[in-house]
Amino acid sequence: MIDKELIENAISEALKTGGDFAEIFVEDKRSSSAYFDDGKVEELTSGRDRGAGIRVVVGETTGFAHTADLSPQGLLDAARSAAAAARSNGGAGSVNELVASSAPSPNPVLVLPETVEKIKKVELLKRADEVARSQSESITQVSARYGDSRRRILVANSEGVYASDDQVRTLFSVACVATGDAGMQTGRESTGRPIGFELFDEYDVEELAETAAQRALTKLNARPAPSGAMPVVIGCGGGGVLFHEACGHGLEADLVKKQASVFAERTGEQVASELVTLIDDGTMAKEWGAFAIDDEGHPAQKNTLIQDGILMDYMWDGLRSRSQGRKSSGNGRRQSYMVLPMVRMTNTYIANGKTDPADIIADTKQGVYVAHLGGGQVNTATGDFVFGMTEAYLIEDGKVTAPIREGNLIGNGPEVLNQIDALGNDFAMGSPGTCGKDGQGVPVGDGTPTLRVQSLTVGGTAA
Amino acid sequence: MEEKLLAIADEVIALSASKEQIEVIAVHDQETDIRVYKGELESFTASESQGVGIRVVQDGRQGMAYAGSLDMEILKETLSEARDNATFGTFDEMLQIAEPDDVEPISLDLYNPALKEFATEDKIALARELEEYIMKSDERIVGVESSEYVDSISASAIVTSSGIRRSSYDGGCYIAGSSLASDGKDMQTGFGYSVGRDPAKLEIEKAGSLASERATRMLGAQKASSGRKTVVLDPYVTAQFLGIIGSTFSGESLLKGRSLFADRENEKIAAGILTLIDDPTDPDAFTATEVDGEGLASRRNVLIEQGVLNTFLHNSYTARSMGTQSTGSAVRSYNSSPGVGARALSLVPGTKSQQELIGGIDDGILIQGVSGLHSGVNPVSGDFSAGAEGLLIKKGQLSEPVREITIASTLQRMLLEVQDIGNDLERLPMRASGVSLVVADVTVSGV
């Protein structure tokens, strides 16, 4: 994207006044999306964002500047701004020779979306609309979105890192509104992979549309969700977000370092039921949160965070690991060249268990079965988290019965981890997600087998 | 900067062909983000970003393209990409770029030169002083997770082939801190902020004491018992709910049959004491701007007047489709086409302080924070359920703290069950202002 000599010059310039570390992150992102709503192709959008972010670290201080001007002048100006922002004030810092490194891509991209005719993308949307509407006359609204992006990045730093990645992602989602006597209900389903247009050889948009429509239709007859603490069974693939919120964020080293995590200073301790093995894996082929290198140039890794209930390690980025004299775990990510990287998850999942999922349900007298969870949120310092149920049913006498309306589940991370008393043998990854932290969104994946939490608070309206 | 952006937009518009309508939005933002940790400058981000969005409508089909650049060569490519995209749109005779209307923008003076004149060292000092204030405010404060100063200056220009040519320039700043409190057993967090347009007027004491109090008063919190209760929403919580209620007034939802309040114009949908206004011409609102996302003048819209649904919000497309006028409610960034939304919501405040409101409640909960609202509200059905924390209210007094509870109801019922509104209007760095709100008959789930 930019020649090596210019990159070297920019790093030297950034360290001229005495920084300890300097990094340049160059990004060239093209994206396209198409939106279908209310029976119409509303709009196709194409976008391009290109620029570089430069950071300089001096002691505990990070200075950061970015520019959309990739000329020598633009980059050197940004380097000087970053150095000034870091308050560096001394002799020139040292720069190691840049050594090009590469990491294997978690998956090949067969069909670059930019080479696909736009009309084919539009046809997918129309098909999804037709199929969703054909499910029932009660389906009154359908919208569908297609999106693809190609993000090429180059990262180089004063420690000699010089790495690049070409990240392609393709996403498709369908949302339906069903109208019945008691009002309107919504249903949504999506699929996304870090691959090209071949996604649609693997996934039928018809199937997605059907799932979204059925989800909305099911809820037309749903009862209000119960309220209060009760056993909750979470279906395979539908509930990885539980762990993303309940403990994933609390295991991010930046929060741990500030003691803003209930899991700080607890490595080696039993923090979860022995059934729980939690893994964050950026190398997982074709999963939404996968990549070859993170946004600091480190290769993606598979990291075991909790093994049989024991906390093994946190997730690390370059800044936090450097201060601990250890290596990054490949979790340094950023939304774009315009922001600083942070510790972020990739694909976070609970490893498979041994129990037949049917037995888990049969063994639950009263409670809630959640087939699909929506987004969530956590306060890492207290461990309190919430997440929304987008498809859920009552469990009565060991059987999944009536659908229930939307509501939140609320719990406390450390408590919930200890209350997992059954783990199925039906592991599956869930829908593609976007994790938000400090205003930055990055693509993440999650997964889980069917599991049961002894007690979670269900926030419905039924008494 | 406004002149430069207008000139760039003009240059793109000059390329429009006959029978083709073009709208160009060009923006330039400058932002400073300073974070302090344990007395040291943790990070300093000085950012400058720009972008141009081009929307083309030809024969009732629209296409959109954007670039994070002001470079004319790149913008020419962007224009041809937008034209190409338009050929795939479905024909809709209502699709047009906005036409100038007869409402003139009100000059709001949303940029205070003090923002640029304020020295960098003084900005760092603000973040440092806030951290120190929180640390020293209470012996149970064991840490400050973040203390930051943020300011931004935004310039934007919108020019259309239909004759709209407007620009805006505004700036704002805030300080925000989040605290960690502990009593040796329990850990709690709290945050506080102060927003404005002049850094010298930001209030460290207000932000710091809020952050400290919100954390320390929650120490030792337990779950509450389940049941139907009267709740008092803290201003910040009310603002979050207003944001969601505002979205149900979008002409887009109405047009597509997704609004909770379709066909309810002039009907009573809320308690008689409730008047909800969306007023981006109120210079005290953090999100005030002189023009909307299509370049039409901002205007004051009364959504609910004394409990009665008065108007929905429209951009030019939804207005045209429904045979009415735009309410100046186009919302967008440069990388999207204009949507419809509330821009500066506020309830008309009542006469009582929060303390007086609490004084009138025998058995209830003061809700100081909610979580999971983005996943827990269905704006189509109106059902909502949110995680919540706060303090019990017993016989008119604040009592012990409660956490890990949920509150649930429907937006429709919540509006009708509003019992009282406080006088404590609070400006926030979001599209709604807050005020204390008393709502009856909310389902609380705990143990």
Side-chain angles (χ1 to χ4, degrees), chain B residues 424-445:
Chain B
D424 48 354
L425 190 70
E426 198 169 321
R427 304 301 184 171
L428 299 162
M430 53 200 276
R431 282 187 179 161
S433 297
V435 66
S436 291
L437 195 67
V438 182
V439 186
D441 202 28
V442 171
T443 306
V444 175
S445 307

Side-chain angles (χ1 to χ4, degrees), chain A residues 48-362:
Chain A
R48 179 152 195 209
D49 286 295
R50 189 175 57 160
I54 297 182
R55 73 175 153 149
V56 175
V57 180
V58 183
E60 294 291 310
T61 302
T62 298
F64 182 67
H66 63 81
T67 177
D69 177 1
L70 297 182
S71 70
Q73 191 61 43
L75 289 178
L76 294 176
D77 282 348
R80 283 187 283 269
S81 300
R87 300 299 196 255
S88 58
N89 182 14
S94 65
V95 186
N96 288 355
E97 191 189 340
L98 296 185
V99 182
S101 63
S102 67
S105 177
N107 38 261
V109 172
L110 304 178
V111 186
L112 276 176
E114 67 206 44
T115 65
V116 176
E117 285 176 80
K118 289 175 184 170
I119 192 74
K120 285 195 175 168
K121 302 173 182 176
V122 170
E123 280 163 3
L124 289 175
L125 296 168
K126 286 184 179 161
R127 232 159 65 212
D129 177 72
E130 282 165 21
V131 172
R133 287 181 192 276
S134 72
Q135 297 301 307
S136 161
E137 281 181 2
S138 302
I139 296 291
T140 47
Q141 282 294 333
V142 179
S143 64
R145 187 181 292 278
Y146 164 89
D148 64 52
S149 67
R150 181 176 186 189
R151 177 185 191 240
R152 282 179 294 170
I153 60 169
L154 184 156
V155 199
N157 70 33
S158 56
E159 290 170 348
V161 166
Y162 186 71
S164 60
D165 196 5
D166 188 347
Q167 302 168 347
V168 173
R169 285 194 162 78
T170 305
L171 182 71
F172 195 91
S173 65
V174 185
C176 299
V177 175
T179 307
D181 300 337
M184 292 177 281
Q185 292 294 333
T186 57
R188 193 174 176 280
E189 179 65 341
S190 61
T191 185
R193 302 252 167 208
I195 59 175
F197 206 71
E198 69 271 21
L199 174 71
F200 302 102
D201 297 336
E202 294 177 27
Y203 282 89
D204 250 0
V205 296
E206 284 91 345
E207 216 176 296
L208 286 178
E210 200 181 316
T211 306
Q214 291 302 336
R215 212 163 256 164
L217 290 168
T218 302
K219 273 189 279 181
L220 282 182
N221 301 315
R223 302 186 202 168
S227 62
M230 63 196 72
V232 173
V233 176
I234 294 174
C236 70
V241 66
L242 169 71
F243 297 94
H244 180 102
E245 302 297 349
C247 54
H249 279 296
L251 299 177
E252 294 167 341
D254 47 353
L255 299 168
V256 170
K257 194 185 166 197
K258 290 186 172 179
Q259 299 292 321
S261 166
V262 277
F263 295 104
E265 292 167 16
R266 294 197 63 191
T267 46
E269 288 180 31
Q270 185 90 33
V271 297
S273 146
E274 286 173 6
L275 294 172
V276 174
T277 290
L278 179 74
I279 293 165
D280 182 80
D281 186 357
T283 70
M284 251 179 144
K286 295 189 183 177
E287 290 305 333
W288 190 237
F291 44 76
I293 59 165
D294 73 0
D295 300 326
E296 299 184 298
H298 296 99
Q301 274 178 221
K302 177 178 180 176
N303 299 299
T304 301
L305 307 172
I306 296 173
Q307 176 80 53
D308 302 326
I310 295 170
L311 179 59
M312 307 302 286
D313 199 0
Y314 305 110
M315 288 170 277
W316 301 84
D317 64 357
L319 186 68
R320 262 53 67 155
S321 59
R322 208 171 296 115
S323 69
Q324 296 289 312
R326 54 166 291 156
K327 280 192 162 177
S328 163
S329 59
N331 290 94
R333 304 180 68 188
R334 60 212 297 171
Q335 178 175 298
S336 79
Y337 73 88
M338 289 190 249
V339 284
L340 281 166
M342 285 183 282
V343 185
R344 305 302 296 265
M345 284 174 258
T346 62
N347 299 298
T348 314
Y349 64 92
I350 292 290
N352 215 356
K354 293 189 176 115
T355 310
D356 183 337
D359 292 344
I360 298 178
I361 294 164

